[in-house]
Structures are given as C-alpha cells and as structure tokens.
C-alpha cells in the first residue's frame, strides 16, 4: 500500500478534474490535486459537470447495482450527491439513502439539493474520517472514488462489517492505478489487486465485477 496523506486534510470524493464539455488533464502531483479542494465551488462544479457522465456511466452503474425498493444504502463520500440522488429514486419511499461526507461544504450543498428536489428518503451525515456515524444497519455501502482517501482502512472495514445487514454488499468503484486523463495521480490510488486482497483479508468475498467503466474498476463484495 502507498503512503496516505492525513485524511483530515482532504475531502472524501475522489478528484475529478473535468473541463467544460471535455475532460481536462489530471494533475501531476498530490499538491496540484489538493489545490482544487481549497475552492468548494470549483470542486462541486467539477463533480457535477455533465462531462463526467461520459466515463462514470451513472445509468449503467445503477442498472448493474440492481437496487431494490426498500433498500437502505450508505453513499460513502457522497460529495455533491452525484450518486446519492440517483439512489433515492431506486430505493423508493420505503427505502433510505444516507449521503455521508466529512466536508461541511459538501453536506451543505447536498442538503440544498435534497430540499430543492423535495426528497424525503435521503439524509446527510457529516461523518468523522474514521467513522461514517450511521444510525442503523444498511443493505449496501457504495464507495465511489473514495477508498484511497480513508486513512485507517482496516478499522473502517470493521465498522462496515458491523453495520452491514446479512446478505448486504459493499460496492467499490475506484480509478485504476495508472496514468489516466482524469482522477488523482497514480501515487494516490489503490490498485484493483491490492483492494481485492485487502477485502478478502477482512472476510469479504468478491461476488461480482463489472468492466464497462473505462477508467475505474467496479467490484462488489459480500460477507
């Protein structure tokens, strides 16, 4: 595993460096990567840029997840709500989505989006870097472009195991550990094989893998 930066100094969502209509060149260093986090408005604009759909393929991701009505889902590192709001439409009125983030700016922004959309099945959680602070067990954790930001991953996995309902899943989507036109520098990433080994060491089994994303691996684990 690579050396990680202190979690308290970074925001949860992964770094998405997107220009207007086209994907911009990714930063070369960790310093360049973190500069964007100093401007919440610019960071939110990057997360919500329509160009992101071209590689993140949210419709295909949601189809692959097969979310059922009534599910309780925790979106870890929810950021601006890119997946949180989509999940809310799938879990229905009997389900619930928790948008979890450690950034007050992201939580405030997501709260506004939830209020404007009139969603009653979504709650935000201003979490700790080492604890999602979930109020109840969940059917699924969705972790998109976030895991490489969590400093104490073994402890976090322990909490996830406690909060996961029987038969529940942990969905990990993250950037491949190589040079890419988007995302953080390779030194900040976790390779697919390293993540797979880590999850298996902590009792999780790989139950599905999807390969349609051009820059990211998409792994689904269960206990």
């Amino acid at each position: 595993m690579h050396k990680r930066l202190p979690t308290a100094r970074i925001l949860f969502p992964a770094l998405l460096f997107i220009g207007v209509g086209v994907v911009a060149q990714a930063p070369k260093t960790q310093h360049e990567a973190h500069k964007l986090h100093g401007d919440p408005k610019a960071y939110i604009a990057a997360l919500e840029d329509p160009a992101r759909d071209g590689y993140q393929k949210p419709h295909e991701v949601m189809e692959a997840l097969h979310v059922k009505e009534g599910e309780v889902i925790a979106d870890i590192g929810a950021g601006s709500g890119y997946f949180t709001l989509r999940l809310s439409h799938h879990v229905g009125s009997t389900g619930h989505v928790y948008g979890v983030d450690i950034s007050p700016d992201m939580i405030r922004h997501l709260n506004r989006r939830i209020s404007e959309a009139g969603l009653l099945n979504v709650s935000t959680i201003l979490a700790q870097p080492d604890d999602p602070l979930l109020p109840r067990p969940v059917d699924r954790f969705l972790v998109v472009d976030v895991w490489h930001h969590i400093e104490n991953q073994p402890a976090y996995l322990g909490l996830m195991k406690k909060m996961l309902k029987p038969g529940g899943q942990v969905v990990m989507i993250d950037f491949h550990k190589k040079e890419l036109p988007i995302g953080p520098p390779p030194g900040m990433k976790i390779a697919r094989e390293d993540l797979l080994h880590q999850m298996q060491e902590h009792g999780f089994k790989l139950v599905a893998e999807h390969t349609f994303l051009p820059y990211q691996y998409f792994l689904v684990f269960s206990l």
Side-chain angles (χ1 to χ4, degrees):
M1 289 288 180
H2 61 275
K3 183 177 180 181
R4 295 181 179 85
L5 298 178
T7 307
R9 302 181 72 179
I10 54 181
L11 304 182
F12 254 151
L15 308 173
L16 307 173
F17 300 89
I18 305 172
V20 179
V22 296
V23 179
Q25 184 175 355
K28 303 293 185 186
T29 66
Q30 294 184 6
H31 175 70
E32 290 179 15
H34 290 303
K35 283 182 67 177
L36 186 62
H37 286 171
D39 187 343
K41 289 184 178 180
Y43 190 47
I44 290 169
L47 290 172
E48 296 180 358
D49 193 306
R52 181 181 178 186
D53 292 354
Y55 77 87
Q56 192 62 80
K57 300 184 183 297
H59 179 69
E60 290 90 337
V61 169
M62 296 307 302
E63 284 192 331
L65 291 176
H66 299 295
V67 176
K68 301 178 181 66
E69 288 193 13
E71 280 195 48
V72 179
I73 301 177
D75 184 7
I76 303 298
S80 63
Y82 185 85
F83 277 111
T84 306
L85 301 188
R86 288 177 167 89
L87 289 167
S88 72
H89 296 298
H90 289 265
V91 302
S93 60
T94 59
H96 202 84
V97 181
Y98 292 102
V100 181
D101 209 289
I102 65 171
S103 165
D105 290 312
M106 294 296 171
I107 292 298
R108 282 192 290 268
H109 176 77
L110 184 49
N111 281 337
R112 285 194 293 269
R113 295 192 69 189
I114 292 167
S115 176
E116 290 169 0
L119 299 176
L120 302 178
N121 62 350
V122 182
S123 301
T124 59
I125 298 176
L126 180 59
Q128 299 296 322
D130 58 353
D131 191 337
L133 300 177
L134 292 168
R136 57 171 166 161
V138 300
D139 296 288
R140 204 181 311 224
F141 285 94
L142 178 63
V143 188
V144 180
D145 304 335
V146 170
W147 193 242
H148 59 278
H149 286 324
I150 296 178
E151 187 171 350
N152 192 344
Q153 294 169 349
Y156 210 94
L157 284 174
L159 290 173
M160 293 170 83
K161 289 175 74 172
K162 291 180 181 178
M163 297 303 295
L164 195 63
K165 294 181 182 180
Q169 294 181 341
V170 175
V171 179
M172 295 281 195
I173 300 176
D174 218 319
F175 292 104
H176 288 290
K177 189 176 176 66
K178 60 183 179 181
E179 290 287 351
L180 295 170
I182 57 168
M188 293 177 64
K189 301 173 186 176
I190 299 176
R192 173 198 173 279
E193 295 75 16
D194 291 339
L195 176 60
L196 181 60
H197 179 69
Q198 181 187 50
M199 297 297 286
Q200 291 172 338
E201 273 194 331
H202 287 82
F204 290 91
K205 299 177 294 184
L206 182 66
V207 296
E209 180 171 8
H210 306 284
T211 59
F212 58 82
L213 297 175
Y215 303 125
Q216 300 153 297
Y217 48 81
F218 182 168
L219 308 177
V220 182
F221 298 92
S222 187
L223 290 173

